[in-house]
Structures are given as structure tokens and as C-alpha cells.
Amino acid sequence: MKRTESTLLKRTIGILAFSDKFGGGVYQYTQSIIDALKKDKTGKRRYIIFCNESDNRFDNYGFEVRKLNRVKNFLPVKILRVFQLLLLIRRPLLFNKQEYDMFKDIDIFLSPAISDYPHFYMNKPFIFTMHDMQERYFPEFFTFKERLIRWLNNRALAKTAWKIICESNYVKNDIIKFTGVDKNKIFVITSPPPAEFLNYHFNEEGFQLIRKKYNLPEKYIFYPAQAWFHKNHIRLVEAFKIVNEKYPDIYLILTGSQKNNYHNLMKRIKELNINHKVKHLGYVDYDELPYLYKMSLFLVMPSLFESVSIPIYEAFALGVAVCSSNVVALPEQVGDAGLLFDPYDVQDIAEKMLIYIEDESLRKEKAMLGYRKIAGFNHDKYLEKLMEILG
């Protein structure tokens, strides 16, 4: 991969877009970063996207895209990589020639995910996003292996990164507290939702198709989230039971991949005898989500730990009211543009949902405040902040 004279004058930025659509919010976060960088018309930088071989979403972005067929590492490679992370040895050991050549012309790596490959090993400047350090607060939500991997990655990446991005002051303080890195290399930049969610154009046929496809009820509350423990689905359905006893025509629609708390959730729904009022649609394609938001009464976000919630910004962008937890950085994100509740208090969750159900004018007021809040929060302004970091 030879570089021409014109490209030698530019910094080559490698964007690591390996997150898949079943992995949660990092998938949307990555797309939002690339949506912003697509607007960079300065000519000072050359962008190359690295993604999985089956990922076609960036093929028409106008950037060079290099696709990898990442094979599973053998045990000796895994052991070597662990020692490299532990001892901060930044060398591409056991990289094959094709693999090494694919990355060698990158000046700066930009990793939207907490991942060590390949930027840590290539011994080049990199910027990565630390989304949260949830395992420090809820170790019971993670296996020992998961906690070990997160500790190794967080420590090694934080210490060796050129710069670190996070999305709230809460997470910035956690990074300083738990890794001891210099606060001056940490930058708080919140991303807007992907461009397709901003100024989304609905059509009547789309509403009809989505409602029919998923057999959606007339009135429902919406919660899009992977079934992780910290997403707090169990308390949500317990609160919904209270709501449904008063308003039996209201349903709860859930979406998201079936992660480690899914079976507990399904069991609890059955125990509460609300399985005919709660529908879990599983993973829903991203281009269908706006319709699910828009047809709902409001978004509920009962998460126990969230640095920044992408669904909240998506709801704001689509003019949908938000009812959210009051933990971590969510009050900072929501402000006065939604109702807040204690996610550990089932009664409080139910009461806030009932307030929205019984007051349509309040829902409209909060939805408008959310829309105004995000109206000036676009990819042009996001790009300006990214440019300050990339230099």
C-alpha cells in the first residue's frame, strides 16, 4: 500500500469500526463519529475505515475501507497479548505480514471502543473512547474473566493512549480515579446520534408497515436496550405491572439482543402475569427504530449505569418524551427535558410513567424541550471538537 506524494502531506487516521450491531451502543457511536468525520473538508487528513469483512455500511461514505477477516487467536497468541498488556509491551508480535501491512501506514488510530487491537500493539499514537468503568461499581454483573479483561484493557489503553475521549464528566473523574492518568489528556465530548436519526423523514406507509410487521398495539411505552443486568429490565417490568393494573390498554415494547439477563427477564414477566402486555421484539434493524420510537407514548430508560444514553438522544431527535433514571451522568444529559426517577425504586418508576400517561401536554412539552436541546447538537459541531483532538 504505497502512499502518494499528496497523501504524505496528510495525517492518515485509521478509524477502527469493528463493533457489530449486536454489541450495543458502541455500534451507533462509531457510526456517529464517521458521520462527523465525513464532513471534514479541510484536506489535512486522510481517513481509512477498518471494519469486519461482512460490514458494508461504510462502502459509500467516500473513505477508503479496509476489511478484515479476523480469525480467532490461538491460546499462545492470547497469552502473549495478555503479557503485552500487563507489561505495556507495544510491539506487533505474531502479526502476519498481511495484517501488519494493512495497518503500517496509519499515523493515528481512532478507536471508538475499548479494544487493544491493533493500535496498542502497533506502537503508534492512538485515541480511544472510554465509555464507562461500570465493573468498578457492579462487579457482580461481570464474570471474573470479563473483569480481568476490562482491567487489563482499561489500564493499558489509558496509560499508553495519546488522548482519551469520554462522554461525561462523571466518566472523566472515574478514569482519573481508577487509572491515575493525567487529566489533561482526557477530553469530554458527547456524540449526537447517527445522522440518519437527525431530521429523520417519516412516511405513512412506513408507520403502517412497522406496526403490522411487529403487531404493535395502539399505546405502548418503549425501551430499546440489550438485556444486560445493568439495563434494569426486571424492575422496569415490575413497575409496569403497577402501571398496567391502572391502565390495562398500555403495553411495554422491548427491543435488543438477548444478553445475559434475558431468561431472568422472561421468567419475571411470566411470574407477574403480564406476558400478554409485554412484547420483546429482539434485535430490530436500525432503520426501523425511528418508527418504534415515534409511535410510542414515551421512551423509558431505567438503566442503573449509563455514562451517556444514545437512546435518549435518539428520542430527543425524534421529538419523543423521555422518562429516565437519575443515576451517573443521566441527569446531566436529560436536564429539564424529561422526567427522572430512582431506578432502584419500583414505585417511583411506576409513578413517573403514570404521570406521563395521564398528562399528554406534559409529554409534548418535554419532547419539545428534548428536541430543542439536541437541535444545536449536530455533526458539524461534533466535528469541530473532534478536530481539536486530532490536531
Side-chain angles (χ1 to χ4, degrees), residues 1-4 7 10-17 34 37-38 45-52 55-68 101-106:
M1 297 179 186
K2 294 182 179 180
R3 298 170 67 177
T4 64
T7 59
K10 302 178 182 180
R11 271 185 165 181
T12 301
I13 312 296
I15 309 164
L16 305 174
I34 295 174
L37 295 178
K38 185 180 177 182
R45 301 166 194 86
R46 169 191 178 216
Y47 298 103
I48 298 174
I49 298 174
F50 295 93
C51 62
N52 296 316
D55 193 346
N56 299 319
R57 59 183 167 144
F58 303 117
D59 288 359
N60 298 315
Y61 265 63
F63 293 148
E64 180 182 342
V65 178
R66 298 180 187 173
K67 299 185 179 184
L68 280 75
D101 287 347
M102 183 167 280
F103 300 117
K104 70 179 182 181
D105 60 339
I106 302 301

Side-chain angles (χ1 to χ4, degrees), residues 242-304:
I242 298 170
V243 169
N244 197 242
E245 286 175 348
K246 188 171 183 181
Y247 293 97
D249 62 331
I250 304 292
Y251 288 73
L252 177 63
I253 301 297
L254 308 173
T255 64
S257 299
Q258 299 177 9
K259 298 299 184 179
N260 52 10
N261 200 31
Y262 178 77
H263 294 295
N264 295 329
L265 170 61
M266 293 298 104
K267 179 182 177 183
R268 188 61 180 137
I269 289 171
K270 188 174 182 179
E271 289 171 350
L272 293 168
N273 195 30
I274 54 174
N275 44 302
H276 58 301
K277 295 293 183 179
V278 180
K279 297 187 67 173
H280 196 295
L281 306 183
Y283 176 80
V284 172
D285 286 336
Y286 203 59
D287 58 354
E288 296 180 340
L289 273 178
Y291 288 94
L292 289 167
Y293 275 102
K294 199 65 176 176
M295 288 187 282
S296 70
L297 293 173
F298 56 88
L299 169 77
V300 63
M301 177 52 62
S303 181
L304 298 176

Side-chain angles (χ1 to χ4, degrees), residues 145-162:
K145 180 180 178 181
E146 288 170 338
R147 293 198 304 273
L148 178 61
I149 291 172
R150 287 173 74 99
W151 177 78
L152 281 169
N153 277 330
N154 289 344
R155 172 183 170 273
L157 295 176
K159 287 182 177 298
T160 58
W162 177 39

Side-chain angles (χ1 to χ4, degrees), residues 310-327:
I310 291 177
I312 286 178
Y313 280 142
E314 290 171 344
F316 283 170
L318 297 172
V320 176
V322 169
C323 191
S324 168
S325 294
N326 62 0
V327 297

Side-chain angles (χ1 to χ4, degrees), residues 83-299:
F83 276 102
Q84 286 190 257
L85 288 171
L86 187 62
L87 301 176
L88 306 182
I89 300 171
R90 300 191 61 196
R91 294 178 186 172
L93 304 177
L94 298 185
F95 277 40
N96 61 47
K97 185 179 186 305
Q98 182 182 22
E99 191 177 18
Y100 179 81
D101 287 347
M102 183 167 280
F103 300 117
K104 70 179 182 181
D105 60 339
I106 302 301
D107 297 315
I108 301 171
F109 285 101
L110 179 59
S111 176
I114 302 174
S115 169
D116 54 26
Y117 180 87
H119 44 296
F120 174 83
Y121 306 101
M122 290 300 292
N123 198 21
K124 292 186 177 185
F126 69 88
I127 304 167
F128 84 104
T129 300
M130 178 83 82
H131 294 282
D132 65 59
M133 302 191 76
Q134 181 192 156
E135 73 282 359
R136 298 284 186 156
Y137 297 91
F138 297 103
E140 67 274 17
F141 291 169
F142 302 86
T143 65
F144 173 76
K145 180 180 178 181
E146 288 170 338
R147 293 198 304 273
L148 178 61
I149 291 172
R150 287 173 74 99
W151 177 78
L152 281 169
N153 277 330
N154 289 344
R155 172 183 170 273
L157 295 176
K159 287 182 177 298
T160 58
W162 177 39
K163 295 175 182 177
I164 303 171
I165 297 173
C166 61
E167 295 197 88
S168 70
N169 286 303
Y170 188 101
V171 176
K172 178 178 181 177
N173 291 333
D174 272 358
I175 296 170
I176 297 168
K177 176 181 177 181
F178 294 122
T179 70
V181 300
D182 182 357
K183 66 179 181 180
N184 293 315
K185 76 172 184 178
I186 307 172
F187 298 82
V188 179
I189 307 177
T190 305
S191 71
E196 62 188 277
F197 258 77
L198 299 172
N199 303 311
Y200 192 88
H201 297 293
F202 293 96
N203 63 73
E204 188 57 39
E205 183 182 4
F207 285 112
Q208 294 174 6
L209 287 173
I210 298 301
R211 190 177 290 280
K212 182 178 180 180
K213 178 177 180 178
Y214 294 109
N215 191 25
L216 295 174
E218 188 65 31
K219 298 179 181 179
Y220 65 88
I221 300 163
F222 186 44
Y223 184 34
Q226 315 273 17
W228 298 114
F229 288 110
H230 75 280
K231 294 299 185 179
N232 204 25
H233 285 85
I234 303 296
R235 290 189 183 89
L236 173 61
V237 296
E238 290 172 350
F240 177 73
K241 170 73 171 179
I242 298 170
V243 169
N244 197 242
E245 286 175 348
K246 188 171 183 181
Y247 293 97
D249 62 331
I250 304 292
Y251 288 73
L252 177 63
I253 301 297
L254 308 173
T255 64
S257 299
Q258 299 177 9
K259 298 299 184 179
N260 52 10
N261 200 31
Y262 178 77
H263 294 295
N264 295 329
L265 170 61
M266 293 298 104
K267 179 182 177 183
R268 188 61 180 137
I269 289 171
K270 188 174 182 179
E271 289 171 350
L272 293 168
N273 195 30
I274 54 174
N275 44 302
H276 58 301
K277 295 293 183 179
V278 180
K279 297 187 67 173
H280 196 295
L281 306 183
Y283 176 80
V284 172
D285 286 336
Y286 203 59
D287 58 354
E288 296 180 340
L289 273 178
Y291 288 94
L292 289 167
Y293 275 102
K294 199 65 176 176
M295 288 187 282
S296 70
L297 293 173
F298 56 88
L299 169 77

